[in-house]
């Protein structure tokens, strides 16, 4: 179930016109998907990267490179994931 505190945060972010990348990792994070309907944003979903479920879809999903590609395509600074 979606909790109202986080739901309100996601709704505010969804209303922003500036492109945002949402990394929804795990079932709890994916539960916010219905709130995120702004076509300006990129929504990437996968299994949670924990040792228990990372092999169920996180490994190989290329979310870090997809995120940076989206940011670059929208003239935004890519993220240095090595920090």
């Amino acid at each position: 179930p979606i909790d109202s505190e986080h739901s309100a945060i996601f709704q505010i972010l969804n209303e922003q016109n500036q492109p945002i990348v949402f990394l929804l990792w795990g079932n709890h994070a994916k539960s916010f998907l219905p709130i995120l309907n702004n076509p300006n944003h990129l929504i990437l979903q996968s299994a949670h990267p924990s040792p228990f479920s990372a092999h169920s879809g996180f490994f190989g999903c290329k979310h870090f490179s997809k995120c940076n590609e989206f940011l670059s395509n929208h003239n935004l600074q890519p993220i240095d994931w090595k920090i």
Side-chain angles (χ1 to χ4, degrees):
I2 301 174
D3 60 83
S4 60
E5 181 179 328
H6 291 109
S7 178
I9 293 168
F10 274 86
Q11 186 62 44
I12 291 168
L13 290 171
N14 184 63
E15 293 170 359
Q16 304 305 305
N17 287 325
Q18 178 177 350
I20 298 173
V21 179
F22 291 91
L23 301 170
L24 304 181
W25 296 343
N27 289 331
H28 181 70
K30 291 178 195 177
S31 72
F32 295 98
L33 186 60
I35 297 170
L36 303 174
N37 58 11
N38 187 329
N40 292 328
H41 305 319
L42 175 65
I43 301 161
L44 300 172
Q45 309 174 59
S46 80
H48 193 276
S50 75
F52 300 108
S53 59
H55 290 285
S56 299
F58 180 77
F59 289 139
C61 69
K62 300 186 179 189
H63 280 188
F64 302 114
S65 59
K66 288 177 182 179
C67 174
N68 279 349
E69 180 181 358
F70 178 83
L71 294 173
S72 293
N73 288 343
H74 288 86
N75 298 314
L76 298 168
Q77 183 71 35
I79 297 169
D80 181 356
W81 296 102
K82 296 176 186 172
I83 296 178

